[in-house]
Amino acid sequence: MATTIEENGPSIHVQPDLSSSSQARQKLEGLLNKNMRIRMTDGRTLVGLFLCTDRDCNVILGSAQEFLKSADTFSQGEPRVLGLAMIPGHHVVSIEVEADILEDGQGFGVDN
């Protein structure tokens, strides 16, 4: 906390803690260009590359595909290709980051 003297008396200026916001920003930047699966309030699921977001939690996906909710949980049906898609933040139910493909077949029992 820093104190400065002004004409009208002392005033206190509090420096905001930027470490938590910079950590959140770094985490988001680490997710850029990763495949994401976003479930929406109407039951649809969109899968695509995470390109950006904003303070209202709107999300932009590139190369997006839409999967409709089906009664059979095992079949996702045919995807509809959307391309570039904007998902309003208030329609997002969940966001999952798809796992990266392991290099050199690690963990899949592949002999090298």
Side-chain angles (χ1 to χ4, degrees):
M1 194 167 18
T3 304
T4 59
I5 305 296
E6 296 179 359
E7 279 185 21
N8 297 336
S11 72
I12 298 173
H13 298 283
V14 178
Q15 297 293 330
D17 182 19
L18 298 178
S19 62
S20 62
S21 64
S22 64
Q23 287 175 351
R25 182 184 177 108
Q26 286 177 348
K27 185 174 273 193
L28 273 176
E29 286 176 353
L31 296 175
L32 288 173
N33 297 315
K34 302 275 187 190
N35 257 346
M36 288 196 162
R37 178 180 312 270
I38 299 179
R39 288 188 175 76
M40 298 173 52
T41 54
D42 61 1
R44 292 180 293 163
T45 301
L46 298 180
V47 178
L49 292 176
F50 174 60
L51 297 180
C52 71
T53 188
D54 62 13
R55 69 181 72 198
D56 296 324
C57 298
N58 300 316
V59 177
I60 304 290
L61 291 181
S63 304
Q65 295 181 330
E66 174 188 53
F67 295 89
L68 298 178
K69 183 179 180 182
S70 63
D72 183 10
T73 57
F74 294 108
S75 72
Q76 286 287 327
E78 286 295 313
R80 184 172 81 149
V81 177
L82 301 177
L84 193 63
M86 191 280 269
I87 301 99
H90 63 274
H91 287 298
V92 174
V93 173
S94 69
I95 298 177
E96 300 172 31
V97 179
E98 293 188 346
D100 291 335
I101 298 172
L102 297 175
E103 295 178 15
D104 299 327
Q106 296 173 352
F108 295 121
V110 177
D111 293 331
N112 289 336

